[in-house]
Every structure is written in C-alpha cells, then in structure tokens.
Amino acid sequence: MPLLPPLIPHLKSPDLFGDLDRLPALGTSVGERTFVVLNPSTGEVLAELPDMGVEETRAAIDKAYMAQPGWAALTARERSDILWRWHQLIVDHTDDLGAILTAEMGKPLAEAKSEISHAAAYLQWYAEEANRIYGETISAPSTDRRMLVIKQPIGVVGTITPWNFPASMVARKISPALAAGCTIVLKPAEQTPLVAGAMFALAHQAGFPDGVVNLVYASEGDAVGRELCGNPKVRKISFTGSTEVGRLLMRQCSDQIKKVSLELGGNAPFIVFDDADADVDAAVDGAIQAKFRNAGQTCVSANRLYVQSGVHDEFVDKFVKRVRQLQVGDGFDPAVAIGPLIDQHALAKIESHIADAVEKGGIVRCGGNRIGTRGTFFQPTVLTGISSEMTVAQEETFGPLAAIINFDDADQVVHEANDTIYGLAAYFYASNLKRVWRVAEALEYGMVGINTGRMSSEAAPFGGVKQSGIGREGSRHGLEDYLEMKYLCMGGI
Ligand code: NAP
C-alpha cells in the first residue's frame, strides 16, 4: 500500500510510522482506496492513508473476536504489564507524538504534548485499575445457598473517536476496555488519524497479542459505524463526538440491544457571581482556560459566560485585555496560544454565530474575523450583550468565541444555565459557601468546575447527563463500563 511518509516536522523518531506499513499486523488488511491528511495550519498534505470500509472493518472485528477469549484469560497482572509498557513507550515518545498531533490537528505544541501526557496518564491509571476488578458476595436469604457476583469483560468493543483530542480520547476509551479484558477496534477521526496510528504502532511494540488492538482508517465514518453497530460480534460501542452522530449510533445499536458509552456535545455555562469578595482576576484566568484552550474546540469549552452585573464591566475589561494578547498562528511557533480551526466548516460556524448575535444586538468587543487565507485561523473573539434567543447561547460554537451575558438574579441564572438539551460541563466562580453548595447541586451537568476553568483528570469520572451522553470515562467508574456483572447462585450447600 503506497503510504506517503507523513511529513511531520521535527520528528526525532521518523521510524515511528514504520509499523504503519504493516497495517495487517495491526489487525486489518487494506484495499486500494486512499485518503489524505491535511495540516490545518498550512493546508499541505501530511500523509496518504488507506481508506478502509466495511470489509476491512469486518476483518478487524473478526480478529478482535478471535483474540478476546485469550486476552481475557490472561491474569490481570499480565494485561496490566502490557498496558504499563505501552504507557512507557508513549511517555518516551511524547515529543514526537506531540509534533504529529500539532501537525494534523493544529493545536500549539505545548498543548499537544500536554495531551500526550494526559493520554499516558489514562494508560497508567488503567494499568493500575486492571488489578482491582472486584466482585462481591451477598448474604443469602436461606442457609442452603451462596450468592455472589463476578465481573467479566463485555467482549469486543467498537470505538470511534473525534479530531479535537485525537490522542487522549483514544487512550481514555481503549485503556479501560483493555484492562477489563475486552479487545477493541478503533476508528479515529478522518482529520486526525496519524497520532492514533503512531500510538497503535507503539501498542504493537508494547506486545499486545495479535488481534487485541485493531485500527481502521476511514474517510467516511458511516460505513464503518454501521458495521461496528450491526455486527453481532461487537458487544459494545464507545463513541466520542457530536450528539447528532451519537444519536444515530444509538439507534443503530438498538436492534441488538448493544451497549453504548457516549461522550457527546456540550453547551457549557460559565457563571461568575458578584459575591462580596469575588476574585475577578481568578475568574478571568478560569474563563481564558475554559474558553480558549484548543481554540475553543473542546466539548467542555465554556460556551455561555454569565457574569453578574456587580462585576460585569470589570470582568469584561480584564477579559478582553487578556484575549487581545492571545497570539494566533501555526502551533509549532512557541509564542502561539491559539492554532487554526479544524476546517472551513468550523470557520463558517463561528462566523454564522457572530452574524446572528450582531443582528440581534450583540456587540463585538474584540476579534470577529478570519485571519489570512492560508490555513483556517480565526481571531479570538468576545461578544457582549448576548441574550438567550441568540444561536450562540443555544448551540456549541466549538471555536474561539466567548459570548458574555450580563445577569442580575442568581436563581434565574441557574435556571437559564440548565435550559439546554446538553449536560456535560458547567463552571462557576463564587465564594459564598452556601451559594457554592446550592449552585453545584442545582446545575444539571455531569461535571461542575467550582472556581476553576479546568477539571479533566484520569482520576475523575468524565461524562455528561441529558443529551451529552451515557456512561463515564476515567476513574474506577470508567472500568465498570467495560465489565458485565454475573450473578452466581449456588444451591444445595
Ligand atoms: P463527529 O462528527 O460526531 O465525529 C466524531 C467521530 O465520529 C469521527 O471519528 C467521525 O468520523 C465519526 N463519524 C461521523 N459520522 C459517523 C457516522 N454516521 N457513523 C459512525 N461514525 C461517524 O464529531 P466531531 O465534529 O469530530 O467532534 C466534535 C464533537 O465531539 C463536539 O460536539 C464535541 O462536543 C464532541 N466531543 C465530546 C467529548 C466528550 O467527552 N463528551 C469529547 C470531545 C468531543 P469521520 O471523521 O470519518 O467523519
């Protein structure tokens, strides 16, 4: 298969992609079709990869199915040891994996390396958790019985990941699955398959038995998705991406009552209360992190910034000043804080949100425009005078656009924050203890950041309520999503 050698600048180990030439060894055979991967900062072609479809997906599922009983039969310690080796290889290759990520996704190199460390942290966490799968015994209601519960791996898991965190999403899904004794077939996003490929090449070096981890590259997710959902050998689908695609996959899984874990879209509120000793500087710091990390392209990005009237003007002044300082450009430039958006659709979406807000009375305080014609860069933008009927307040923008809403009533703001179909992440800044508890409990979200703009951690359960998803990733709870509970009842004792 003619693979264009990936044109990643600054690679220390260009042979990292060596194993990609031997894709069948990673679990699949490949056909004749190919697709290209672009650098969003330059528009240049980075690599050409085999474009796989139903046939290759089925072959990968067959391999995973054959390998699963053997993988599950290993001791927890043996599975853990291989995960540890993979973790170490990823740590050792952080610089190169970060460079690949920046080249194909655009995020600044420091952010990309931090994502690789985060991915490695999931592998470490689940290498440890692999040894901590417990069942239970139950006090039986009669003396001649013994009742207990054992935990077993679900089986083959189909996983589909998005482009915005193309390394950590892979690790966050497949490390608990592997720790539990499941085997996996992964389809990474079309725009960012290279870092997943490099991670799989390292998995191969770590010594996973043949067929345990399988990679399917595809330019169109739907055919692969239909096979993963429709093939009875796959017992679970784990998906991170948009709510729209999550809904479709859930529908496709319903015929076989297939289990699903879904990490979907959000519309995160970020609320700043004007408590007596409000720390506006800290709130500005948190808002910069929660809004502009990864150019606003995170599922937990602050989408609606509610600022109480007592601190509104001070917050806006300080925030706009900080946003003007954010440098936009190629992620390989160390001065750059904001890289390109992933593609032209993302640019068009942010422009439409700004146009709609301005038409309805919103004010552009800074930014508002594309930058240049090479690459997909957009100025970090702040809008004030936002109200709930504007699109920007209702939909996830997924870009570097902060929409600020001035509010007075503390109870009303929680009601407005909850007035969405989404329920992934929410943030608020407050110092009054009673308010902190009341608001934290009233927000209808899976995760709430209190006086912080950043909360993702391998040690914590990440996930949403309402139409933001089903299940949790990370923490001990993340392992449970890949285990079945079996009740054993022993009679005649
Ligand atoms: P997306 O369009 O849903 O794509 C995500 C993945 O699904 C990609 O691998 C894509 O493949 C695949 N896909 C697309 N259509 C499919 C179909 N019909 N059947 C099967 N697979 C299909 O989402 P995105 O635009 O890449 O990612 C952004 C969204 O993800 C945002 O809404 C964000 O909030 C959400 N997200 C959520 C979390 C979380 O943990 N909750 C984390 C990160 C992102 P192709 O690339 O080949 O189309």
Side-chain angles (χ1 to χ4, degrees):
M1 168 53 50
L3 288 174
L4 249 187
L7 300 170
I8 315 290
H10 320 301
L11 277 193
K12 289 182 191 157
S13 315
D15 59 329
L16 195 53
F17 285 100
D19 275 346
L20 296 190
D21 290 332
R22 298 191 283 118
L23 270 167
L26 296 175
T28 50
S29 61
V30 293
E32 288 305 312
R33 288 167 296 129
T34 61
F35 69 104
V36 292
V37 183
L38 302 177
N39 179 336
S41 287
T42 61
E44 287 165 2
V45 172
L46 285 172
E48 184 178 7
L49 296 178
D51 195 356
M52 304 182 192
V54 170
E55 225 172 280
E56 292 91 349
T57 308
R58 198 169 294 155
I61 293 169
D62 285 343
K63 289 201 78 170
Y65 186 74
M66 296 292 288
Q68 200 272 326
W71 179 243
L74 294 183
T75 64
R77 176 65 68 195
E78 286 168 327
R79 286 197 299 274
S80 167
D81 285 347
I82 299 176
L83 279 165
W84 268 115
R85 283 204 289 279
W86 192 20
H87 161 263
Q88 193 54 52
L89 283 163
I90 286 182
V91 170
D92 293 346
H93 289 81
T94 298
D95 289 348
D96 279 0
L97 292 169
I100 294 166
L101 212 170
T102 292
E104 68 178 347
M105 195 272 151
K107 67 177 64 175
L109 189 57
E111 263 189 52
K113 286 189 201 169
S114 155
E115 180 180 338
I116 300 301
S117 302
H118 195 44
Y122 279 105
L123 293 177
Q124 177 179 18
W125 182 270
Y126 285 109
E128 291 162 347
E129 285 296 300
N131 294 302
R132 299 187 192 123
I133 298 171
Y134 302 107
E136 64 186 86
T137 55
I138 300 168
S139 303
S142 61
T143 54
D144 63 343
R145 285 172 176 244
R146 297 294 180 271
M147 297 161 74
L148 50 141
V149 174
I150 60 169
K151 300 277 181 75
Q152 292 178 303
I154 283 183
V156 175
V157 180
T159 59
I160 301 175
T161 49
W163 49 264
N164 60 344
F165 287 93
S168 59
M169 293 303 107
V170 169
R172 198 165 85 180
K173 287 200 179 309
I174 71 182
S175 57
L178 294 170
C182 300
T183 53
I184 63 104
V185 177
L186 171 85
K187 193 208 84 67
E190 172 195 5
Q191 299 96 325
T192 55
L194 295 177
V195 75
M199 287 170 73
F200 270 59
L202 293 173
H204 197 52
Q205 284 181 31
F208 284 101
D210 193 28
V212 170
V213 290
N214 305 276
L215 183 61
V216 175
Y217 287 131
S219 66
E220 285 174 16
D222 55 346
V224 174
R226 249 181 283 115
E227 181 61 25
L228 288 173
C229 295
N231 190 318
K233 290 178 180 164
V234 177
R235 301 293 287 274
K236 174 174 176 125
I237 295 294
S238 178
F239 170 75
T240 295
S242 60
T243 296
E244 187 192 351
V245 174
R247 200 177 283 125
L248 175 75
L249 294 175
M250 196 172 173
R251 214 175 285 136
Q252 289 174 354
C253 285
S254 66
D255 276 351
Q256 294 171 20
I257 320 290
K258 196 165 282 185
K259 294 196 172 349
V260 289
S261 280
L262 303 173
E263 297 286 349
L264 308 176
N267 177 10
F270 185 105
I271 309 170
V272 183
F273 290 99
D274 60 6
D275 292 357
D277 49 352
D279 184 346
V280 175
D281 292 325
V284 168
D285 275 346
I288 293 282
Q289 280 192 351
K291 178 67 252 182
F292 291 105
R293 188 163 66 98
N294 205 15
Q297 302 173 114
T298 88
C299 52
V300 293
S301 285
N303 203 52
R304 300 167 285 158
L305 280 76
Y306 294 93
V307 185
Q308 203 162 11
S309 47
V311 292
H312 176 269
D313 293 354
E314 182 188 352
F315 179 91
V316 170
D317 287 349
K318 288 180 168 169
F319 186 65
V320 169
K321 206 167 160 196
R322 287 279 301 277
V323 173
R324 284 187 201 280
Q325 290 164 3
L326 296 172
Q327 197 163 320
V328 181
D330 190 314
F332 283 107
D333 178 343
V336 159
I338 300 206
L341 299 193
I342 191 67
D343 56 23
Q344 294 292 333
H345 295 298
L347 286 174
K349 186 171 190 188
I350 192 168
E351 282 176 335
S352 77
H353 281 194
I354 294 171
D356 172 81
V358 168
E359 193 187 309
K360 293 173 181 158
I363 300 162
V364 179
R365 302 296 292 259
C366 66
N369 296 300
R370 295 181 185 217
I371 303 173
T373 50
R374 187 170 186 256
T376 43
F377 298 102
F378 201 89
Q379 295 172 329
T381 301
V382 180
L383 296 177
T384 54
I386 298 304
S387 53
S388 56
E389 75 278 5
M390 297 176 184
T391 311
V392 71
Q394 293 163 7
E395 280 180 19
E396 187 183 36
T397 305
F398 233 58
L401 166 62
I404 301 182
I405 303 165
N406 190 345
F407 77 94
D408 284 312
D409 185 325
D411 292 332
Q412 180 63 19
V413 78
V414 173
H415 174 75
E416 276 186 38
N418 287 338
D419 189 18
T420 166
I421 59 166
Y422 299 104
L424 188 60
Y427 308 83
F428 70 93
Y429 275 72
S431 53
N432 177 304
L433 193 57
K434 189 166 159 188
R435 170 169 285 163
V436 166
W437 274 106
R438 290 269 163 86
V439 173
E441 287 170 358
L443 285 168
E444 295 169 354
Y445 289 82
M447 299 172 285
V448 179
I450 304 162
N451 297 327
T452 178
R454 193 163 182 172
M455 56 182 152
S456 184
S457 161
E458 72 282 2
F462 189 104
V465 300
K466 294 159 82 177
Q467 294 187 32
S468 286
I470 296 174
R472 293 293 182 272
E473 293 184 335
S475 81
R476 69 186 171 85
H477 302 286
L479 193 60
E480 295 294 327
D481 275 17
Y482 294 94
L483 291 165
E484 288 280 21
M485 194 184 285
K486 187 182 281 175
Y487 159 49
L488 305 181
C489 180
M490 302 171 80
I493 306 273

